[in-house]
């Protein structure tokens, strides 16, 4: 039977960029020991107080349907996380940040309209635009520019049918935290050209250098920004699938209506746990932040500097990008060889767009006793592959 062209084009060519991860998972399931530095799933679970709030809610019978837009308590708790004035009615609770991204795309794109996706980008982005019937326009953020967004390059790529720019700061995979001036330039461009800004801020709690800026915090950004957020990273709650979209009431109301056709609301006991986490879980979030901060510092020290590789020190987030172009391999080839030889799984930079080609992304999602030896093996493999000229120049 015929399938819609829309669904067939969500993942064109069948390669969704997760090949190495799937291979590593199959090896682990077959009993091999694989160090998983590939996907962004924490080894740190939610705090015991959050789990207790969930079981209390379950025991109290919060097991029925819930308001599709989110419980009043959770919407208020999410609104209170924003630095700029935000009403609970401006928050739509979604099934993870991912469903928030999809809902935001559905809210701003008509079929065939385009959305700028800044490259490197989280691996689902282009698929999410296509799933909503849109067309991604990929605009590179250059490695030489610290992977910061370039408003001039975005302006040059705009088409008459472009409706939105999707940005992600702190950025997955680059670790870039967008500067205040870059955010201001994006807001100015969006205002001038009547564009939406879809601002994915799921890593806002993990900033190591500089400070997190949201386009919504600027007066000109507020009416044209949809912020996507999540409990996944800040509170180690990936499996709770709790995220949100924050924006102008008219857009949020429509996004809540979309929820009626998809998830029909999040389980009440999960929303109660999430509300508890936001109201009382700052210590738990601080603990997660501290652990990632310590891992980042230890990882930078363990890796040192090439031959064969160059570390891109992350200003935010829970990943580290390694430039391995000196090895002469693509990120795909390097990651495949690393998995084969060392039983270490990382993500090829190419999974996140052409701007991160020749890089691999290392998730800092395992504790130091496993992480640091794995990083030394990665550095050793890169050094062994370093092309003679590069190795010579690094040694000199
Ligand atoms: N945005 C970015 C940049 C991400 O890295 C992720 C998850 N890795 C998400 C959104 C979605 O997260 P979730 O659906 O778990 O909230």
């Amino acid at each position: 039977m015929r399938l819609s062209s829309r669904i067939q084009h969500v993942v064109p060519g069948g390669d969704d960029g997760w090949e190495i991860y799937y291979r590593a998972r199959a090896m682990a399931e077959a009993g091999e020991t694989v160090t998983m530095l590939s996907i962004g799933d924490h080894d740190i679970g939610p705090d015991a107080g959050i789990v207790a709030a969930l079981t209390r809610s379950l025991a109290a019978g919060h097991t029925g349907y819930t308001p599709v837009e989110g419980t009043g308590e959770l919407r208020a708790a999410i609104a209170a996380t924003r630095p700029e004035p935000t009403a609970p009615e401006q928050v739509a609770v979604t099934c993870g940040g991912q469903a928030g991204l999809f809902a935001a795309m559905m809210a701003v794109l008509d079929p065939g309209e385009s959305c700028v996706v800044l490259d490197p980008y989280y691996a689902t982005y282009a698929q999410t635009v296509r799933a909503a019937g849109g067309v991604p326009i990929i605009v590179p953020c250059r490695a030489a520019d610290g992977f910061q967004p370039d408003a001039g390059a975005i302006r040059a790529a705009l088409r008459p049918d472009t409706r939105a720019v999707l940005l992600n700061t702190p950025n997955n995979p680059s670790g870039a935290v967008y500067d205040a001036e870059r955010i201001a330039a994006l807001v100015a461009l969006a205002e001038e050209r009547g564009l939406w800004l879809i601002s994915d801020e799921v890593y806002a709690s993990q900033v190591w250098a500089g400070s997190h800026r949201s386009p919504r915090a600027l007066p000109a950004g507020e009416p044209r920004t949809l912020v996507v957020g999540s409990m996944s990273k800040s509170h180690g709650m990936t499996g709770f699938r709790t995220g949100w979209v924050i924006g102008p009431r008219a857009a949020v109301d429509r996004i809540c209506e979309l929820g009626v056709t998809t998830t029909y609301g999040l389980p009440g006991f999960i929303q109660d746990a999430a509300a508890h986490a936001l109201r009382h879980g700052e210590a738990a979030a601080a603990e997660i932040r501290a652990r990632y901060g310590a891992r980042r510092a230890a990882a930078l020290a363990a890796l040192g500097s090439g031959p064969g590789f160059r570390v891109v020190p992350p200003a935010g987030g829970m990943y580290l990008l390694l430039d391995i172009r000196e090895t002469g391999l693509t990120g795909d080839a390097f990651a495949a060889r690393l998995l084969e030889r060392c039983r270490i799984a990382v993500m090829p930079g190419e999974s996140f767009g052409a701007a991160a080609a020749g890089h691999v992304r290392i998730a800092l999602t395992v504790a130091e006793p496993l992480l640091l030896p794995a990083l030394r093996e990665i550095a050793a493999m890169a050094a062994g592959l370093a092309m003679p000229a590069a190795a010579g120049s690094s040694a000199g």
Side-chain angles (χ1 to χ4, degrees), residues 18 39-41 94-101 121-125 167-173 200-203 228-233 237-244 318-319 352 361:
W18 299 92
I39 63 162
D41 206 356
T94 58
C95 187
Q98 182 55 52
L101 286 166
Y121 48 81
Y122 174 47
T124 67
Y125 277 9
L167 61 140
N168 170 219
T169 179
N171 186 266
N172 173 15
D200 179 343
E201 303 180 14
V202 305
Y203 294 99
V228 174
S230 168
M231 301 300 291
S232 288
K233 313 297 176 180
M237 291 170 65
T238 50
F240 285 61
R241 310 306 307 126
T242 304
W244 53 84
M318 45 197 256
Y319 311 97
F352 306 99
R361 189 198 73 173

Side-chain angles (χ1 to χ4, degrees), residues 130-151:
R130 286 192 291 262
V135 177
I137 298 180
I138 308 296
V139 176
C141 301
R142 292 176 311 112
D145 194 21
F147 293 111
Q148 292 280 332
D150 174 350

Side-chain angles (χ1 to χ4, degrees), residues 73-94:
E73 194 195 355
L74 181 57
R75 292 175 98 190
I78 294 167
T81 65
R82 295 301 302 180
E84 67 281 348
T86 302
E89 295 73 23
Q90 292 179 292
V91 177
V93 173
T94 58

Side-chain angles (χ1 to χ4, degrees), residues 218-233:
L218 298 178
E222 193 272 338
R224 57 185 64 263
T225 301
L226 297 175
V227 172
V228 174
S230 168
M231 301 300 291
S232 288
K233 313 297 176 180

